[in-house]
Amino acid sequence: MSERISIIGDGQMGLVLADALVHRGLPVTLWGPFPEIVEHLHQSRENPGRMPEFRLDEAVSVTADPAEALLGCTLAVNAIPSQFIGKVWSQVAGGLPEGCSIVSVAKGVENGTLRRPSEVLRDTVANAGPICALSGPTIATELAARQPALMVAASPDAAVADRVQDCFDVPWLRIYTSRDLLGVELAGACKNVIALAAGMCDGLELGDNAKSAVLARGLAEITRLGLAMGADADTFQGIAGVGDLATTCFSPHGRNRSCGEAIGRGESLTAYEARIDSVVEGVATSRSVMALAEQFGVEMPIAEAVHAVLFKDLSPRDGVERLMHRQSGTE
């Protein structure tokens, strides 16, 4: 099958995935929701607000016209952050060819509805084919430099996951496949919340022992929630689980870790969000994770502490004290 790819979203992941696809020799169209940014990208091939060092290949067609966004595509990529998927895709959904599959790289859970990205897409784009999630430890600046990385393409439809695997078969990416769409999406969403906690450890200068403990116990929390919701336990021990969690917790480029670090150093969430030009997915997702934990009766003390720091005026240091004074038990 000859693929033609449309990417919805001109942020960091949209740009680096476009780079991979044109290297593969596939025709790519990229669309973004802000016409002035897209026009600048079209003219200069640069998006300095998102990736100042990156230049988009001339082979990528860039458009601000919603009618052209999905024209003739055989596979669409969602690179819109989780809280905005429904709103943005409602602008372009009518142009999706009947039965065309969508692969999503968003990592979050929608506030209020508690829908994962694939569920929002399914509800918003009625004529879409099977949905796939593409996830893993993928810092965008490293992908832009074509440094090696692993990802997993997850879909209940094995043929769609295989197609995604083939499309992104470039020298610096190795793509595995999975049938566990729920687990891969949930792992990607929850790891952002745990990374906020890891960043707070950095901001408080608690050391690597504390941060590694956050990673280990955070993974246990994510796995408990995933199993309660029906995901596969193995998913959380793999690329989309512990792999993505480790990168997000330790990389200096991780948005969620960086946000947590700023808060740990005393900066308010409002001030931090006002000075950056990126969406910190874990902030909004912490609300949804708490709602899911309550719905499924799962204990998630680290995620709960993060939520309390973000939205209930708990200080990061008091959050650590709360966790350290919990009753000990078996692992």
Side-chain angles (χ1 to χ4, degrees):
M1 180 180 184
S2 179
E3 301 282 10
R4 184 178 187 86
I5 316 296
S6 287
I7 298 177
I8 304 302
D10 58 353
Q12 290 186 337
M13 283 303 293
L15 294 173
V16 297
L17 292 180
D19 181 58
L21 290 165
V22 295
H23 183 87
R24 185 75 171 82
L26 298 173
V28 180
T29 297
L30 187 146
W31 177 90
F34 303 107
E36 64 281 4
I37 295 175
V38 175
E39 181 59 29
H40 180 82
L41 180 62
H42 173 68
Q43 296 294 336
S44 69
R45 316 309 289 183
E46 295 176 350
N47 187 342
R50 299 298 176 88
M51 296 190 76
E53 307 282 326
F54 179 82
R55 184 172 176 84
L56 187 65
D57 194 295
E58 294 287 348
V60 179
S61 174
V62 179
T63 180
D65 185 350
E68 295 179 0
L70 297 165
L71 190 64
C73 72
T74 61
L75 188 69
V77 175
N78 169 63
I80 298 295
S82 300
Q83 306 304 324
F84 307 102
I85 293 173
K87 178 181 179 181
V88 172
W89 271 85
S90 64
Q91 300 177 45
V92 298
L96 189 77
E98 183 70 32
C100 181
S101 287
I102 303 173
V103 53
S104 177
V105 295
K107 296 176 180 179
V109 178
E110 189 177 59
N111 290 162
T113 68
L114 305 184
R115 295 181 299 176
R116 293 174 284 111
S118 64
E119 295 173 315
V120 179
L121 289 165
R122 173 59 61 206
D123 293 343
T124 305
V125 193
N127 64 331
I131 309 292
C132 180
L134 183 63
S135 190
T138 46
I139 298 296
T141 52
E142 294 183 9
L143 293 183
R146 298 185 175 180
Q147 293 179 301
L150 304 182
M151 301 181 80
V152 58
S155 176
D157 188 312
V160 172
D162 288 344
R163 284 175 57 200
V164 174
Q165 182 183 51
D166 181 66
C167 286
F168 291 94
D169 181 18
V170 293
W172 63 96
L173 283 177
R174 182 172 175 83
I175 312 295
Y176 291 80
T177 61
S178 168
R179 302 290 289 274
D180 187 16
L181 177 60
L182 165 61
V184 166
E185 286 192 300
L186 194 64
C190 292
K191 61 92 184 177
N192 284 333
V193 180
I194 303 304
L196 283 162
M200 291 176 197
C201 288
D202 288 337
L204 293 168
E205 299 183 353
L206 299 182
D208 289 338
N209 289 340
K211 192 159 69 166
S212 292
V214 165
L215 189 155
R217 297 312 304 159
L219 179 62
E221 292 186 14
I222 296 170
T223 304
R224 284 198 297 268
L225 180 61
L227 294 180
M229 292 178 65
D232 186 340
D234 290 342
T235 296
F236 303 100
Q237 303 300 320
I239 298 165
V242 67
D244 202 1
L245 178 63
T247 291
T248 309
C249 286
F250 281 92
S251 172
H253 303 293
R255 296 177 191 172
N256 294 279
R257 191 217 60 81
S258 296
C259 177
E261 180 177 7
I263 291 170
R265 294 190 188 281
E267 186 172 1
S268 71
L269 175 61
T270 301
Y272 182 80
E273 290 184 321
R275 70 175 173 84
I276 65 167
D277 189 34
S278 301
V279 175
V280 182
E281 287 262 43
V283 172
T285 296
S286 70
R287 295 184 187 272
S288 298
V289 168
M290 283 295 89
L292 287 171
E294 181 178 359
Q295 179 180 333
F296 287 92
V298 175
E299 191 175 33
M300 301 185 72
I302 297 174
E304 183 180 356
V306 168
H307 180 264
V309 169
L310 295 176
F311 302 114
K312 295 184 177 181
D313 295 323
L314 180 70
S315 75
R317 194 166 294 280
D318 287 346
V320 172
E321 290 281 333
R322 178 188 293 184
L323 291 169
M324 290 302 292
H325 284 91
R326 284 172 50 83
Q327 183 176 356
S328 298
T330 57
E331 186 173 26

